[in-house]
Amino acid sequence: MANPSPAHVLHVRIATGTGGGPEKTILASPRHLAGTSWEAHVCYLHLPDDPGFGVIEERARQKSAPLTGIPERFPLNPFTLCKLRRLARDLKARVWHGHDYKSNLFGLLLRPFRKHHLVTTVHGWVRHTSRTPLYYAIDKWCLKRYERVIVVSADLEAECVAIGCDPERVIHIPNAIDAEEFARAAPLAQPEGRPLVIGSLARLSREKGFGLLIAAVEELAEEGHDVRLVIAGEGELEGELRARVAGSPHAARFEITGFVEDVPAFLEGLDVYCCSSLREGLPNAVLEAMSFELPVISTRCGGMEAFLRDEEDGLLVEVGSAE
């Protein structure tokens, strides 16, 4: 008797550039279903000719994650909906797993045709533009209609319940990383005859608070401390941040690397990791830094205060203060 075909989970998400922390979880998930009666497929909606999507494709290949890309130029394109319906039909997807406002809305719109179960992961509402209030309103309307709402931090769990999600359907599953992938090759050494290297890895956007982090390091330098700050990432604030550090009287103490492919190598070169975010869920980069045995300083943003035990796992400081 032939074994029954595996049931499929279809993960759907918008991709901008090389993506962010959620991609690490999404692309790592399919291989962990090996040997079960389930399989996972990932679908990303991305801008045409976006070079960052090539990086996501390579990451998916390395993680053995089946990936389909659907290029689209408009926020709510009916042709995209048709392509997603065809993909879900071809996979015979039993579970639609959305990861943002658009994938959650599309999952609801396609359900009458596919009869799939609706699952979503809330990674956090952190970026703010002129359009995000509308997008977040759509997302929160969708969440109340999903069968399972996974959240990555305790504060997001409370927020989902507050907007009307059934508490029985909201499940708190913190982000996780592969500790073997993020392990030091050499013991953490105290800097001797060189600056203390402070680092941070995140999307270069307003909510990450990098302006405050730069100001904090400038204050340390003014006080005579021998420190450097290395910021890794890409995003809409890159030009502004580069101009900011270039105009600093301590410009030589700053480096903005842009996108880094080899995160372990980046973390290996740090002495301290700092999360300066104004808003956050539970950032993978902090977990990776902790796995690398780096001392961590973080603002009390979002899920960090519930996750990080102050003066045990790291140091917590107030949000929005360079001091």
Side-chain angles (χ1 to χ4, degrees):
M1 182 177 178
N3 292 327
S5 299
H8 272 84
V9 179
L10 177 58
H11 291 270
V12 185
R13 176 167 160 82
I14 307 169
T16 303
T18 58
E23 275 56 67
K24 297 175 181 179
T25 304
I26 295 167
L27 295 177
S29 295
R31 73 176 189 270
H32 292 291
L33 293 177
T36 74
S37 58
W38 290 87
E39 288 185 1
H41 192 98
V42 181
C43 178
Y44 276 106
L45 314 179
H46 63 94
L47 288 171
D49 305 317
D50 182 351
F53 185 66
V55 175
I56 294 177
E57 287 182 308
E58 175 58 22
R59 286 177 176 171
R61 187 192 64 77
Q62 293 173 1
K63 300 292 185 183
S64 301
L67 173 67
T68 297
I70 297 180
E72 61 162 9
R73 197 173 295 279
F74 306 107
L76 293 174
N77 190 334
F79 293 106
T80 299
L81 196 61
C82 292
K83 292 176 182 178
L84 284 168
R85 181 185 178 185
R86 189 178 306 120
L87 177 62
R89 180 198 65 200
D90 293 345
L91 292 171
K92 297 182 175 63
R94 287 179 54 188
V95 175
W96 176 284
H97 195 143
H99 291 272
D100 48 53
Y101 86 96
K102 186 186 291 188
S103 58
N104 288 340
L105 178 60
F106 282 175
L108 278 169
L109 294 176
L110 289 174
R111 191 181 195 185
F113 303 97
R114 296 296 319 151
K115 306 299 182 185
H116 45 235
H117 292 288
L118 293 171
V119 176
T120 181
T121 294
V122 179
H123 299 279
W125 299 287
V126 292
R127 296 185 64 194
H128 286 277
T129 68
S130 59
R131 294 181 178 181
T132 48
L134 172 61
Y135 295 162
Y136 294 165
I138 293 171
D139 199 21
K140 291 174 181 180
W141 180 85
C142 293
L143 293 179
K144 292 182 284 187
R145 291 157 176 81
Y146 265 62
E147 296 171 64
R148 292 292 184 273
V149 178
I150 299 169
V151 295
V152 301
S153 60
D155 65 307
L156 290 173
E157 180 179 15
E159 189 166 354
C160 286
V161 173
I163 65 172
C165 293
D166 183 347
E168 296 290 325
R169 297 184 177 186
V170 179
I171 304 171
H172 178 197
I173 304 177
N175 281 333
I177 62 166
D178 185 341
E180 293 184 359
E181 182 180 353
F182 295 95
R184 299 194 67 81
L188 182 65
Q190 293 296 324
E192 294 182 8
R194 66 170 177 82
L196 182 80
V197 182
I198 302 164
S200 193
L201 169 66
R203 182 171 181 83
L204 305 185
S205 51
R206 194 76 58 188
E207 75 277 0
K208 299 301 182 180
F210 284 130
L212 292 166
L213 180 53
I214 292 168
V217 172
E218 285 179 322
E219 288 185 25
L220 289 174
E222 291 289 336
E223 293 170 3
H225 299 286
D226 191 11
V227 295
R228 288 185 65 237
L229 174 63
V230 184
I231 297 175
E234 61 180 359
E236 64 274 11
L237 229 60
E238 184 169 348
E240 181 179 324
L241 291 173
R242 289 189 183 278
R244 169 78 169 79
V245 299
S248 170
H250 305 284
R253 296 189 178 274
F254 297 101
E255 180 184 0
I256 297 176
T257 68
F259 171 72
V260 292
E261 177 63 38
D262 192 345
V263 173
F266 169 75
L267 294 173
E268 193 85 44
L270 304 182
D271 300 307
V272 176
Y273 187 87
C274 186
C275 171
S276 55
S277 295
L278 308 178
R279 296 175 297 277
E280 198 64 81
L282 179 56
N284 282 290
V286 169
L287 304 181
E288 293 162 0
M290 293 174 73
S291 184
F292 257 81
E293 304 170 27
L294 288 169
V296 170
I297 301 170
S298 174
T299 55
R300 300 179 183 274
C301 57
M304 289 309 302
E305 186 165 23
F307 169 75
L308 199 71
R309 295 170 298 181
D310 192 19
E311 298 189 2
E312 292 187 47
D313 304 316
L315 297 179
L316 290 171
V317 298
E318 296 307 312
V319 175
S321 169
E323 182 180 357

